[in-house]
Amino acid sequence: MSEFLQLLISGLTVGAVYALVALGFTLIYNASDVINFAQGDFVMIGGMGTVFLMAAGLSLPIAALVAVIGAVLVGLLLHRLAIEPARGASPVTLIMITIGASIFIKGVAQIVFDKQFHTLPAFSGADPINIAGAAILPQSLWVLAGAIILFVALYLFLTRTLTGKALIATAANRLAARLVGINVRVMLGLAFGLSAAMGALAGILVAPITLTRYDIGTIFALKGFAAAMVGGMGSPQGALVGGLLIGILEAFGAGYISSAYKDAVAFLAILLVLFVMPRGLFGSKSVERV
């Protein structure tokens, strides 16, 4: 029982990070129909930025805040300099642009940071907490609590504020949103900024557990994309469920089968879901009038 609980907590911890990355994919996809494969690099910017700002003498909260602001600026620049000029291009072209942007961000990160693995100190100590025989790291609780707070905050923003409702309207129908006076360009930039902020916060929360490096964003982008596909691309609740599901499957696969196949779980889940439910667990059916 203790081993089962240990693996469950581990899966929920990493799954919460995948869910945040998947939610970033979902926000941008809903607003602009773009699948942003640079999403994982926001996770890297959050973690690496905080590490090096702390090394420069800043406290953890200030370093984290500056790193998140830096990630948001990168997200806005990605939209303004790469996505906006290519509006109207085919989906494949836009995907290639985001992949190219991801490669560029990694190249810059090698110069600004370095190629070594780094870690952040645990937020509240590294001594494990014993729960029913399972040793749970306090940082895991920070990750889970942080993910819950971010999801609730985003939900309240989208449903209780005019700006959030304008973003939802833009995602639903950009032409209709423009006709009622919504600045669609600003809303698209907001979607990129929010997704970058969530990715950076996820990177800061998980860095004390998984370490961070200039190229760590690649694996998070792939796992986040897998989570978004499993849950249903474009579905916020699907991003949450898909991320947690991928994380749990990875943890139990590594614990009961072999850690060598851990990274294959996400892609096997994609194939299984696409075969059985091509639109994912929460994907909605599209209707086209002719």
Side-chain angles (χ1 to χ4, degrees), residues 258-271:
S258 172
S259 59
Y261 301 106
K262 179 175 71 71
D263 291 332
V265 170
F267 308 109
L268 289 175
I270 288 181
L271 291 176

Side-chain angles (χ1 to χ4, degrees), residues 52-99:
F52 278 82
L53 288 168
M54 287 185 67
L58 296 181
S59 64
L60 176 58
I62 300 300
L65 177 61
V66 175
V68 171
I69 292 174
V72 170
L73 291 176
V74 172
L76 294 176
L77 287 173
L78 173 63
H79 169 253
R80 181 67 183 88
L81 300 180
I83 303 301
E84 180 67 19
R87 63 182 183 274
S90 68
V92 173
T93 300
L94 292 172
I95 289 173
M96 294 304 296
I97 288 173
T98 65
I99 293 174

